[in-house]
Amino acid sequence: MSNPRYKRSTKFLNHAEALIPLGSQTFSKSRTQYPVGISPLFMHKAKGCHTWDIDGNKYIDLVSSLASVTLGYQNPVVNSAVRKQLRKGTIFSLPGKLESDVAEKIVDLVPSAESVRFGKNGSDATSAAIRIARAFTGRKIVAVCGYHGWQDWFIGSTSRNKGVPKEISDLTKTFAFNDLASLYQIFTSNSGNVAAVILEPMNSTWPIENFLSEVRRMCSENGTILIFDETITGFRFAKGGAQELFKVIPDLTTLGKGLANGFPLSAVVGKREIMGEMSEIFFSGTFGGELLSLAAANEVLRMYQQEDIIGQLTAAGELLDNLTNEEIVKNSLQDVLSLSGHPTWKFLNWTDHETATAMEIKTYFMQECFKEGILVLGTHNVTTKHTKNIIKEIARAYSKILSRIAIKLKCDQLRESLEVAPLVPLFKVR
Ligand SMILES: Cc1ncc(COP(=O)(O)O)c(C=O)c1O
């Protein structure tokens, strides 16, 4: 029987799937992540930190459009700059001045940035960075750690590699975060042929003390280009991203999500000498200089220059962390749920319990969160619109949900309280 709360969403899925495979352009927004029957599946509007589904249910949004929104949906300052640009034109036949204005701000904010090129998605930037590294070094092998997008060179190294020729996948080697030996192994077995090391400088765990600096040293010693994929950490962990926070400067950096507060813009930036390869390789797109996103970025970056956005994001994240941890402890759920990562991008880690699996508990948590009007997947992606009061509201909902989880686990009733089949780990991006 279909859940009346999500009646329209569930019905619309059939319509969407008849036209669009999976009914979504983004894997993490699809029914693979949101179980049908207990989840909203389509959104209607979003403002500040709230979002409304097509059934009219309202949520506090902790997904924040996959962490691409940092200043809240429909930020009035950003939107006003975009409206102003709309009156001048969305795209021109030649480059616009805004490209250089935004590039200048990135160079001011991001330590490794001397030169900048724009793309639309994070995958554009990471793929461009890999091509530059291969062109600059004349080598083939790339070492990866984290998630870097949908293109062949990276996705071929994951379990979701259908459609990628083995010859391409073979050129990508995976190493583990905080495990220098696993990177050393790649350097020794591909001596003189490692073009690039690309990694998320941090995702769910903090780098151990010398990890990033040792990666930097190994790359320099081997003539390998070090790329920090700061698609998420950029404009979230610090004004200049994780490289500023950890004081390790890569050769190239990729930026994406936080750049334009949800408008489609990414960038590959880095040392002028290496970025010079951009004049020789082919990285070019019709919409690379699209002006609405650049107008948004210009305003976003101005705010980062003039206001303490990072302080606001961090304070919001820390409060949410503290209140969530209090609820975890109050309900004696420390063995089942833990939080990890940076306060502005915190991961919820579920562990198997004797009466239910981690996936069952996570699915139940989502089911109950959605009912309580909290949209959360696997991380807390806070924005400046997640005010103290909003976070207290989330904590009150968590208090009810975590106590339900504790009781149900104790009485071995969690499984039977699931209204749908639990999520299955189809493809783990990290
Ligand atoms: C660290 C990282 N790199 C690259 C990407 C790819 O970005 P996009 O989905 O915009 O292509 C993502 C997207 O989630 C990401 O988190």
Side-chain angles (χ1 to χ4, degrees), residues 46-47 72-86 260-261 263 295-296 299 303:
K47 190 162 171 43
Y73 295 104
Q74 295 191 50
N75 182 285
V77 182
V78 176
N79 278 13
S80 142
V82 171
R83 263 189 231 107
K84 213 165 139 196
Q85 184 58 43
L86 191 54
N261 201 44
F263 282 84
E299 221 35 58
M303 291 200 261

Short mmCIF file of all heavy atoms in Angstrom, two decimals, residues 46-47 72-86 260-261 263 295-296 299 303:
data_model
loop_
_atom_site.label_atom_id
_atom_site.label_comp_id
_atom_site.label_asym_id
_atom_site.label_seq_id
_atom_site.Cartn_x
_atom_site.Cartn_y
_atom_site.Cartn_z
N ALA A 46 12.72 25.40 -2.73
CA ALA A 46 13.65 25.45 -1.59
C ALA A 46 13.96 26.91 -1.29
O ALA A 46 14.10 27.72 -2.20
CB ALA A 46 14.94 24.70 -1.93
N LYS A 47 14.05 27.21 0.00
CA LYS A 47 14.39 28.59 0.42
C LYS A 47 15.11 28.53 1.77
O LYS A 47 14.68 27.79 2.66
CB LYS A 47 13.10 29.41 0.53
CG LYS A 47 13.35 30.90 0.73
CD LYS A 47 12.09 31.69 0.40
CE LYS A 47 12.17 33.16 0.75
NZ LYS A 47 13.36 33.87 0.44
N GLY A 72 22.56 29.13 1.78
CA GLY A 72 21.11 28.96 1.80
C GLY A 72 20.51 29.12 0.41
O GLY A 72 21.04 29.84 -0.44
N TYR A 73 19.40 28.40 0.19
CA TYR A 73 18.70 28.48 -1.10
C TYR A 73 18.15 29.89 -1.28
O TYR A 73 17.67 30.51 -0.32
CB TYR A 73 17.53 27.50 -1.14
CG TYR A 73 17.94 26.04 -1.08
CD1 TYR A 73 17.79 25.29 0.09
CD2 TYR A 73 18.45 25.40 -2.21
CE1 TYR A 73 18.13 23.95 0.14
CE2 TYR A 73 18.79 24.05 -2.17
CZ TYR A 73 18.64 23.33 -1.00
OH TYR A 73 18.98 22.01 -0.96
N GLN A 74 18.15 30.34 -2.51
CA GLN A 74 17.61 31.66 -2.87
C GLN A 74 18.25 32.76 -2.04
O GLN A 74 17.56 33.66 -1.56
CB GLN A 74 16.09 31.72 -2.67
CG GLN A 74 15.30 30.83 -3.59
CD GLN A 74 13.82 31.15 -3.50
OE1 GLN A 74 13.41 32.29 -3.60
NE2 GLN A 74 13.01 30.11 -3.30
N ASN A 75 19.53 32.68 -1.85
CA ASN A 75 20.20 33.75 -1.10
C ASN A 75 19.92 35.08 -1.80
O ASN A 75 20.19 35.23 -3.00
CB ASN A 75 21.71 33.49 -1.06
CG ASN A 75 22.43 34.54 -0.26
OD1 ASN A 75 22.60 35.67 -0.72
ND2 ASN A 75 22.81 34.20 0.95
N PRO A 76 19.34 36.06 -1.09
CA PRO A 76 18.88 37.27 -1.77
C PRO A 76 19.99 38.06 -2.45
O PRO A 76 19.79 38.60 -3.54
CB PRO A 76 18.22 38.09 -0.64
CG PRO A 76 18.55 37.40 0.63
CD PRO A 76 19.03 36.03 0.34
N VAL A 77 21.16 38.09 -1.84
CA VAL A 77 22.27 38.87 -2.43
C VAL A 77 22.74 38.21 -3.73
O VAL A 77 22.94 38.86 -4.76
CB VAL A 77 23.44 38.98 -1.42
CG1 VAL A 77 24.56 39.82 -1.97
CG2 VAL A 77 22.94 39.54 -0.10
N VAL A 78 22.89 36.89 -3.66
CA VAL A 78 23.33 36.14 -4.85
C VAL A 78 22.27 36.24 -5.94
O VAL A 78 22.57 36.55 -7.11
CB VAL A 78 23.61 34.65 -4.48
CG1 VAL A 78 23.98 33.85 -5.72
CG2 VAL A 78 24.69 34.56 -3.42
N ASN A 79 21.03 36.03 -5.56
CA ASN A 79 19.96 36.06 -6.57
C ASN A 79 19.83 37.44 -7.22
O ASN A 79 19.55 37.54 -8.41
CB ASN A 79 18.62 35.64 -5.95
CG ASN A 79 18.51 34.12 -5.89
OD1 ASN A 79 19.50 33.43 -6.09
ND2 ASN A 79 17.32 33.62 -5.63
N SER A 80 20.05 38.48 -6.43
CA SER A 80 19.93 39.81 -7.02
C SER A 80 21.05 40.05 -8.05
O SER A 80 20.81 40.63 -9.11
CB SER A 80 19.92 40.83 -5.87
OG SER A 80 20.59 41.96 -6.19
N ALA A 81 22.25 39.57 -7.78
CA ALA A 81 23.34 39.69 -8.76
C ALA A 81 23.01 38.90 -10.02
O ALA A 81 23.30 39.33 -11.15
CB ALA A 81 24.64 39.19 -8.14
N VAL A 82 22.38 37.75 -9.83
CA VAL A 82 22.03 36.91 -10.98
C VAL A 82 20.94 37.61 -11.82
O VAL A 82 21.02 37.64 -13.06
CB VAL A 82 21.57 35.51 -10.52
CG1 VAL A 82 20.98 34.70 -11.66
CG2 VAL A 82 22.73 34.76 -9.88
N ARG A 83 19.97 38.20 -11.14
CA ARG A 83 18.89 38.93 -11.86
C ARG A 83 19.47 40.08 -12.67
O ARG A 83 19.09 40.31 -13.80
CB ARG A 83 17.87 39.45 -10.86
CG ARG A 83 16.68 38.52 -10.73
CD ARG A 83 15.57 39.15 -9.90
NE ARG A 83 15.21 38.20 -8.89
CZ ARG A 83 15.50 38.30 -7.60
NH1 ARG A 83 16.12 39.36 -7.12
NH2 ARG A 83 15.15 37.35 -6.76
N LYS A 84 20.41 40.77 -12.07
CA LYS A 84 21.05 41.91 -12.74
C LYS A 84 21.77 41.42 -14.01
O LYS A 84 21.69 42.04 -15.07
CB LYS A 84 22.06 42.54 -11.77
CG LYS A 84 22.20 44.02 -11.92
CD LYS A 84 22.92 44.59 -10.71
CE LYS A 84 23.91 45.65 -11.12
NZ LYS A 84 24.88 45.96 -10.08
N GLN A 85 22.46 40.29 -13.88
CA GLN A 85 23.18 39.75 -15.03
C GLN A 85 22.22 39.27 -16.12
O GLN A 85 22.47 39.43 -17.31
CB GLN A 85 24.10 38.59 -14.58
CG GLN A 85 24.95 38.02 -15.69
CD GLN A 85 25.86 39.06 -16.34
OE1 GLN A 85 26.48 39.89 -15.66
NE2 GLN A 85 25.91 39.05 -17.68
N LEU A 86 21.09 38.74 -15.66
CA LEU A 86 20.08 38.23 -16.61
C LEU A 86 19.64 39.34 -17.58
O LEU A 86 19.39 39.09 -18.76
CB LEU A 86 18.89 37.69 -15.80
CG LEU A 86 17.81 36.89 -16.52
CD1 LEU A 86 18.40 35.71 -17.27
CD2 LEU A 86 16.80 36.38 -15.49
N ALA A 260 29.45 28.74 -6.28
CA ALA A 260 28.41 29.65 -6.77
C ALA A 260 27.06 29.41 -6.09
O ALA A 260 26.02 29.71 -6.64
CB ALA A 260 28.28 29.53 -8.29
N ASN A 261 27.11 28.85 -4.87
CA ASN A 261 25.90 28.62 -4.07
C ASN A 261 24.79 27.92 -4.86
O ASN A 261 23.63 28.34 -4.84
CB ASN A 261 25.38 29.93 -3.48
CG ASN A 261 24.49 29.68 -2.28
OD1 ASN A 261 24.81 28.87 -1.41
ND2 ASN A 261 23.35 30.35 -2.21
N PHE A 263 24.66 27.39 -8.18
CA PHE A 263 24.69 27.61 -9.63
C PHE A 263 25.81 26.74 -10.20
O PHE A 263 26.82 26.51 -9.53
CB PHE A 263 24.93 29.09 -9.95
CG PHE A 263 23.69 29.93 -9.77
CD1 PHE A 263 23.33 30.41 -8.53
CD2 PHE A 263 22.85 30.18 -10.85
CE1 PHE A 263 22.17 31.15 -8.35
CE2 PHE A 263 21.69 30.92 -10.68
CZ PHE A 263 21.34 31.41 -9.44
N ALA A 295 28.11 35.30 -12.25
CA ALA A 295 27.59 36.43 -11.45
C ALA A 295 27.33 35.95 -10.02
O ALA A 295 27.63 36.66 -9.05
CB ALA A 295 26.31 36.98 -12.08
N ALA A 296 26.78 34.74 -9.90
CA ALA A 296 26.54 34.17 -8.56
C ALA A 296 27.87 33.99 -7.84
O ALA A 296 28.03 34.42 -6.68
CB ALA A 296 25.82 32.83 -8.68
N GLU A 299 29.50 37.12 -6.43
CA GLU A 299 28.88 37.60 -5.18
C GLU A 299 29.24 36.68 -4.01
O GLU A 299 29.54 37.13 -2.91
CB GLU A 299 27.36 37.63 -5.40
CG GLU A 299 26.62 38.79 -4.84
CD GLU A 299 27.36 40.12 -4.87
OE1 GLU A 299 27.75 40.59 -5.95
OE2 GLU A 299 27.55 40.67 -3.78
N MET A 303 31.38 37.71 -0.67
CA MET A 303 30.95 37.49 0.72
C MET A 303 32.02 36.73 1.52
O MET A 303 32.27 37.04 2.68
CB MET A 303 29.63 36.73 0.74
CG MET A 303 28.51 37.60 0.20
SD MET A 303 26.96 37.07 0.68
CE MET A 303 26.05 36.29 -0.10
#
